[in-house]
Amino acid sequence: MPLELYLDLFSQPCRSVYIFAKKNNIPFDFKKISLMEGDHYGEDFGKVNMMRKVPAMRDGEFCLAESVAMMIYMVEKFKTPDYWYPADLHKRARVNEYLSWQHMSIRMHGSKMFWVKVLIPKIMGREVPQEKRDAAIEDLDESLKWLEEKFLQDGPFIAGDHISLADLVAIVEVYQPVGAGVDVFEGRPKLSAWRDRVRQEIGPELFDEAHQGIMGAIEVVKTLDSSKMQAFRPRIQKMFF
Amino acid sequence: MATRKAVEVYLDLLSQPCRAVQIFLRSTTIPHTVKPVALRRGENKTSEFTKLNPMQKVPVMVDNGFVLTESDAILKYLATNYDVPDHWYPRHPERRAKVNEYTAWHQTNTRPHAAKVFILEVLMPRMTGQPAEPTRVQKALVELSGTLDKLEDMFLKRQPFLCGDDISLADLLAVCEIMQPLGGGRDILQDRPKLLSWKSRVQSALKDSFDEGHAVLYRLRDRSKAKL
């Protein structure tokens, strides 16, 4: 029985898992979960991941959440090329360093932009207060600054000469604000050059396919029935108002 | 051939991830040198430290010229580079995956939610001279309570430790965060027998290194309690 991957490609960590599995020809069953339609509240999905988050994985009896854990598991199980998660301790530590840092920085601030610019106006029927919007942009800018100055530095990729899980996790997060209409690559030639290299390594077709959803998100959200999205309200209230 | 120096770690024991690193090193008896960095005295902002870590954060590890930040990465590096018992970071893919699953979830749940209570009750009043705002503290406690529920129901369940039968890096990282609000005199586990027994098991497994690592926090707790 092949691996089951429960994914919503609007979600950044789902994209990294999807790209990783496809790029490495890992056989899997794509189980589509639409967060906007509340699929994650279904009974069956609850059995795969009690926390009701995506991505989630089921390998026979073994269930796993958290994209980083899932990809490292797949690295081991499917013996993917070394550069994704190098056996060399120093290189691996660099990858782990990025994977740890990114949760509360680029991931958090990139996600926020999507809420601020796209989802909240739709669900709440009004904009997030200006100071909070400005603060969100400032936070994102800071994360991008660290990505360029500390993690990329002068290297082609985060952990050195080759692409790794770090670049994959980074690129999907960086694309989230892009999907929200914030062009993070403008005025950032280093970031743009890195993006081009990453897209080339992954393969432009696969990369573009994985990002098709988020790049068309603004249009999709326009068509949604906001009255069916009110379950998001408490979370929004807590985050922004 | 140059002799290998013992690994150096730059730590402030008031910082939860720093404690996890220190406790790990002492518990596994990995030879190391601690370079104290007092955050409250701005020692993370000196030009020397900034050269080492431009983000001005602790912990930082230096292993014979190799500089590493992020406690998660540091602990996994140490567990792999040195000969420590397998249970810390198991080699078996499914067991390792469970530890990785927790350490990822930890970053956006246990860590920020426990830290927030400490920040509101201890750090901010210290910085601003104003007492903690009760509504904000209440909100933070509710959020933390949700996280503790998840720790019990989704990780611990009926196991002795978060990821199985033995202590791992997951338990170490979690316990250090959970201890932090104690610095303000608040015991967040007081009505949670399941987590209290887990904490006892963790403490037993870590022996002296647990209390040694928490000495600074205990002193802060005693000062906070004296004020209350």
Side-chain angles (χ1 to χ4, degrees), chain A residues 134-148:
Chain A
D134 292 342
I137 299 242
E138 248 180 69
D139 288 338
L140 178 60
D141 283 344
E142 210 200 329
S143 293
L144 290 168
K145 177 190 107 147
W146 287 120
L147 173 54
E148 285 188 311

Side-chain angles (χ1 to χ4, degrees), chain B residues 95 98-100 102 155 159 161-166 168 170-171:
Chain B
R95 278 189 256 137
K98 282 297 171 189
V99 177
N100 284 333
Y102 178 76
F155 289 98
Q159 304 176 122
F161 294 97
L162 291 176
C163 299
D165 291 332
D166 262 307
S168 71
D171 304 281

Side-chain angles (χ1 to χ4, degrees), chain A residues 51 63 65 94 97 100, chain B residues 67 69-70 98 101 107 154:
Chain A
M51 294 221 223
C63 293
R94 283 281 160 255
E97 189 184 40
S100 170
Chain B
V67 181
T69 64
E70 294 294 319
K98 282 297 171 189
E101 183 188 55
Q107 301 279 10
M154 303 196 186

Side-chain angles (χ1 to χ4, degrees), chain A residues 80-96:
Chain A
T80 54
D82 181 75
Y83 54 77
W84 285 112
Y85 196 53
D88 173 86
L89 271 191
H90 285 190
K91 291 200 186 126
R92 179 170 287 201
R94 283 281 160 255
V95 177
N96 283 338

Side-chain angles (χ1 to χ4, degrees), chain B residues 41-67:
Chain B
R41 284 201 291 269
E43 287 176 7
N44 55 317
K45 308 218 159 130
T46 63
S47 57
E48 207 189 316
F49 188 80
T50 308
K51 244 193 320 218
L52 185 68
N53 183 11
M55 288 205 212
Q56 300 180 331
K57 293 194 177 204
V58 282
V60 181
M61 179 203 85
V62 184
D63 187 0
N64 289 273
F66 177 64
V67 181

